């Protein structure tokens, strides 16, 4: 239900054909391995887990001028919470916008919401939700950005929110952790496996649960500090040297 019909049919054909004929299948996560074995009856000795790694460039930006110039160039001023990912139905962005609106109304949060990513299929609800809730002045849409801009975006954010409905791995939460940014993320598919114990987890279909997780990340205190510290430790596991070994 989160893909258009033609995309769904194409993916089904290619993946079904590939998995049934391949001598070896490589997956990004334990979750994908389990799903692949379950769906296609693959024996475990034909399925291998090769996790993505984090490059050395994904780290906290300490140069204040680089940080300032990057954010101002994107018309980002003041505090903000961040989403990075394609603007598609699978990423659950309309619910994130609704949760953000709820926090603005009930908690009077000052942060803007910055959405980074290209617009793909089934994205109309994202723009209609922004308009219907009157958030045009509080939601910043940057489009797709060059990879080199991401460390500054992560560093400047009060939190990264990852509300996905389904994910094979999910790099943005891990990259945010590597930059010392607290993460609120969906408790679905591969995401808990990737973020470990160092994220505020929520049900992506439950607005109140999402709001509570976001509040945990943006409110100063021991819990937020522990998420930051734990995230840095978790991200270290995904260095390319470790992944290559």
């Amino acid at each position: 239900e989160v893909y258009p019909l033609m995309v769904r049919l194409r993916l089904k054909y290619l993946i079904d054909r590939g998995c049934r004929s391949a001598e070896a299948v490589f997956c990004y996560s334990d979750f994908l391995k389990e799903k692949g074995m379950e769906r296609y009856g693959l024996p475990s000795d034909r399925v291998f887990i090769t996790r993505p790694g984090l490059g050395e460039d994904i780290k906290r930006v300490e140069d204040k001028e680089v940080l300032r110039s990057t954010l101002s160039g994107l018309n980002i001023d003041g505090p903000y919470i961040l989403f990075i990912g394609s603007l598609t139905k699978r990423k659950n962005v309309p619910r994130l916008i609704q949760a953000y609106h709820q926090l603005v109304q009930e908690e009077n949060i000052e942060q803007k919401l910055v959405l980074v990513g290209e617009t793909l299929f089934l994205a109309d609800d994202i723009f209609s939700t922004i308009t219907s809730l009157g958030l045009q002045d509080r939601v910043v849409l940057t489009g797709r950005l060059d990879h080199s801009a991401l460390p500054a975006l992560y560093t400047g954010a009060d939190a990264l929110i990852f509300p996905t409905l389904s994910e094979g791995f999910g790099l943005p939460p891990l990259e945010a952790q590597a930059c010392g940014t607290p993460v609120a993320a969906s408790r679905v598919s591969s995401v808990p496996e990737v973020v470990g114990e160092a994220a505020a987890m929520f049900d992506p279909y439950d607005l109140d649960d999402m709001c509570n997780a976001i509040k945990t990340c943006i409110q100063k205190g021991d819990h937020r500090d522990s998420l930051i510290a734990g995230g840095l430790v978790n991200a270290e596991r995904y260095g390319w040297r470790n992944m290559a070994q």
Side-chain angles (χ1 to χ4, degrees), residues 138-168:
R138 298 202 56 155
V139 177
V140 179
L141 293 155
T142 71
R144 182 169 183 164
L145 298 177
D146 188 82
H147 188 75
S148 62
L150 299 186
L153 277 162
Y154 287 125
T155 299
D158 287 347
L160 174 88
I161 319 302
F162 197 65
T164 185
L165 298 175
S166 177
E167 205 72 31

Side-chain angles (χ1 to χ4, degrees), residues 61-72 152:
V61 174
E62 301 295 347
D63 188 322
K64 301 299 184 183
E65 181 54 33
V66 169
L67 189 60
R68 186 202 63 77
S69 63
T70 301
L71 297 182
S72 64

Side-chain angles (χ1 to χ4, degrees), residues 25-44 47-49 51 168 189-190 193:
V25 176
F26 293 86
C27 302
Y28 279 153
S29 60
D30 294 326
F31 168 78
L32 283 182
K33 177 175 180 176
E34 292 170 7
K35 285 295 182 183
M37 291 170 59
E38 174 187 319
R39 180 178 177 89
Y40 302 107
L42 297 169
S44 61
V47 187
F48 302 89
I49 300 171
R51 305 180 201 280
S189 54
S190 65
E193 171 188 343

Side-chain angles (χ1 to χ4, degrees), residues 211-230:
C211 286
N212 288 332
I214 295 172
K215 283 194 295 183
T216 295
C217 290
I218 64 177
Q219 290 176 345
K220 306 296 184 184
D222 292 343
H223 199 166
R224 184 177 192 274
D225 292 343
S226 68
L227 289 176
I228 293 171

Side-chain angles (χ1 to χ4, degrees), residues 173-244:
L174 196 58
E175 292 178 336
Q177 288 179 334
C179 294
T181 301
V183 171
S186 296
R187 195 186 296 107
V188 297
S189 54
S190 65
V191 180
E193 171 188 343
V194 173
V195 299
E197 300 295 323
M201 308 301 291
F202 58 82
D203 177 347
Y205 296 94
D206 186 326
L207 288 183
D208 289 337
D209 202 23
M210 194 185 302
C211 286
N212 288 332
I214 295 172
K215 283 194 295 183
T216 295
C217 290
I218 64 177
Q219 290 176 345
K220 306 296 184 184
D222 292 343
H223 199 166
R224 184 177 192 274
D225 292 343
S226 68
L227 289 176
I228 293 171
L232 289 168
V233 172
N234 183 62
E236 286 181 2
R237 299 189 297 137
Y238 289 88
W240 270 119
R241 182 172 297 279
N242 289 339
M243 294 302 99

Side-chain angles (χ1 to χ4, degrees), residues 100-165:
Y100 172 73
H101 179 258
Q102 185 170 319
L103 288 169
V104 170
Q105 295 295 307
E106 297 179 0
E107 305 291 336
N108 196 31
I109 65 170
E110 61 177 338
Q111 290 87 350
K112 288 187 176 181
L113 174 62
V114 176
L115 305 178
V116 178
E118 63 182 325
T119 302
L120 296 179
F121 39 77
L122 303 180
D124 290 349
D125 285 355
I126 295 172
F127 307 108
S128 62
T129 302
I130 293 171
T131 302
S132 66
L133 296 176
L135 293 172
Q136 296 92 325
D137 294 334
R138 298 202 56 155
V139 177
V140 179
L141 293 155
T142 71
R144 182 169 183 164
L145 298 177
D146 188 82
H147 188 75
S148 62
L150 299 186
L153 277 162
Y154 287 125
T155 299
D158 287 347
L160 174 88
I161 319 302
F162 197 65
T164 185
L165 298 175

